[in-house]
Amino acid sequence: MSSSEHLLEVRDLKEHFPLRKGVFSRVSGWVKAVDGISFELKEGETLGLVGESGSGKTTAGRAILRLVEPTQGSVLFEGEDLSSLSPSRLRERRRKMQMIFQDPFSSLNPRLKVESIVGEGLLVHGLGRRAERLERVKETLARVGLDPSCLNRYPHEFSGGQRQRIGIARALALEPRFIVCDEPVSALDVSIQSQILNLLVELREKYRLTYLFIAHDLSVVEYLSDRVAVMYLGKIVEMARAEELYRNPLHPYTRALLSAVPAADPRRKKDRTPLPGDPASPFETPSGCCFHPRCPLAMEICKSVEPRELDLGGHKVWCHAVEKPRDSA
């Protein structure tokens, strides 16, 4: 598939943070938050990015938007490499790339009224006169289900769900094509989560938006995503269409995550796949396969050789046990 068919291409993206020690703050090591991930997104598509806390999901989203500078790799948006852009050109491109943050309270400036929060991007990019910006803010609030009469209110005057709608309106005001949704419903009550998810689906279909949807709740990801990528210790270990991944998970880590999802029917028993221990530190990642210390299918090769990508008709997995089952080792 040619790159022109993709709205976004991420190639071997890495985000390593230095660890400093001593009086002179010398670098003593690196935290490998994101360690070489690659994927593509078509216009109107949603990719769900899942994994345990500390797997690197949020850092990946921020690195794609260059909210943090990537250590290595490239991000192509509409065929243009963001890493090679000047600050002024990057600012232009950011109009089409926005982010919805996890916490709908801390992500909104408590000193600003709704009009200023939603219209801030329009002001920064110099779009329209004040009256035109005000009209755009009113229209955007209506799109997310908020009454324009709330323009002169502050964030603390709203409920959590309403604050998240303000955050979504802020992202929509510049009419983006691509939005990183960083766990946008995890801080909300369950009854409100479905409303926000339905709103995101409605906006995607109406405005042909493309989402990178970051979450740890696999049931939420299944509802919203076209494809799902599973991350562990900064790496993608499995990626497939949502229905295929949920029906036929191949990687042991994916199976363990899915087995932990509560069943809708309490009378239905599920086979749990508990994982021993905790994830390794991104400061001291294991050699070979990063998952091998916790993997029930680990073989000798897993300890020393990093798995290569195995593409099974669009279902990609990085696992020696899938490529070379134990009984054939």
Side-chain angles (χ1 to χ4, degrees):
M1 185 174 290
S2 65
S3 57
S4 61
E5 296 180 8
H6 296 126
L7 180 69
L8 181 80
E9 291 183 74
V10 178
R11 299 175 179 171
D12 194 31
L13 185 67
K14 295 184 180 181
E15 188 61 66
H16 296 175
F17 298 106
L19 284 175
R20 301 182 183 276
K21 286 184 178 180
V23 177
F24 299 103
S25 297
R26 289 175 177 154
V27 176
S28 61
W30 297 87
V31 175
K32 298 178 181 179
V34 179
D35 199 21
I37 65 171
S38 301
F39 60 84
E40 304 86 26
L41 269 171
K42 296 179 183 178
E43 184 179 7
E45 186 181 19
T46 298
L47 176 68
L49 194 59
V50 301
E52 294 171 288
S53 296
S55 61
K57 309 183 298 296
T58 293
T59 303
R62 290 175 177 269
I64 288 168
L65 296 182
R66 280 187 66 183
L67 297 179
V68 293
E69 284 297 321
T71 305
Q72 184 179 310
S74 60
V75 177
L76 278 70
F77 180 69
E78 296 180 326
E80 194 169 21
D81 188 351
L82 299 181
S83 63
S84 64
L85 300 184
S86 65
S88 60
R89 180 57 180 160
L90 177 62
R91 184 176 173 180
E92 291 179 24
R93 302 308 286 148
R94 279 204 172 127
R95 286 178 51 185
K96 299 298 181 183
M97 306 172 70
Q98 293 293 310
M99 189 166 190
I100 300 170
F101 296 92
Q102 178 178 0
D103 187 342
F105 191 79
S106 63
S107 64
L108 303 179
N109 190 331
R111 294 186 175 90
L112 295 182
K113 294 179 180 180
V114 170
E115 178 186 349
S116 298
I117 290 172
V118 177
E120 187 173 21
L122 300 172
L123 181 62
V124 168
H125 289 280
L127 301 178
R129 298 179 179 179
R130 189 183 186 284
E132 294 170 330
R133 292 197 297 268
L134 178 60
E135 193 60 33
R136 174 82 72 86
V137 170
K138 289 180 179 179
E139 292 174 358
T140 307
L141 288 173
R143 290 177 186 176
V144 300
L146 290 174
D147 195 298
S149 63
C150 70
L151 283 170
N152 293 314
R153 294 165 63 186
Y154 291 93
H156 72 269
E157 300 180 64
F158 297 89
S159 67
Q162 289 173 322
R163 285 196 292 265
Q164 193 59 292
R165 288 176 187 268
I166 294 170
I168 295 171
R170 177 176 58 184
L172 282 179
L174 290 170
E175 299 183 348
R177 299 187 67 193
F178 170 64
I179 299 179
V180 174
C181 305
D182 183 16
E183 303 205 35
V185 298
S186 64
L188 304 177
D189 293 338
V190 174
S191 59
I192 305 300
Q193 287 184 8
S194 60
Q195 297 177 21
I196 298 299
L197 288 173
N198 288 334
L199 173 63
L200 290 173
V201 170
E202 178 185 331
L203 293 171
R204 178 184 64 185
E205 294 174 352
K206 188 172 183 179
Y207 301 106
R208 197 161 174 74
L209 296 172
T210 303
Y211 293 149
L212 176 64
F213 190 86
I214 299 168
H216 62 268
D217 187 332
L218 287 157
S219 58
V220 168
V221 173
E222 182 180 20
Y223 173 72
L224 198 73
S225 302
D226 299 301
R227 289 186 296 136
V228 177
V230 181
M231 279 191 76
Y232 184 81
L233 274 184
K235 297 180 182 292
I236 292 177
V237 297
E238 185 167 6
M239 182 163 52
R241 294 201 61 80
E243 61 270 20
E244 167 66 16
L245 186 132
Y246 282 80
R247 181 183 61 84
N248 182 34
L250 298 177
H251 198 282
Y253 179 60
T254 309
R255 293 176 186 172
L257 288 180
L258 289 174
S259 74
V261 177
D265 185 351
R267 295 169 296 181
R268 179 186 169 195
K269 292 186 177 181
K270 292 186 68 175
D271 294 328
R272 303 289 181 184
T273 308
L275 295 176
D278 297 316
S281 167
F283 172 52
E284 297 177 332
T285 54
S287 60
C289 174
C290 60
F291 185 60
H292 85 259
R294 305 176 70 195
C295 181
L297 303 178
M299 302 176 289
E300 196 61 33
I301 190 175
C302 303
K303 299 177 182 179
S304 57
V305 180
E306 187 172 341
R308 64 185 181 91
E309 177 189 306
L310 184 63
D311 191 340
L312 304 173
H315 190 154
K316 299 180 180 181
V317 63
W318 289 257
C319 181
H320 292 299
V322 176
E323 181 180 6
K324 186 178 180 182
R326 185 185 297 269
D327 56 7
S328 65

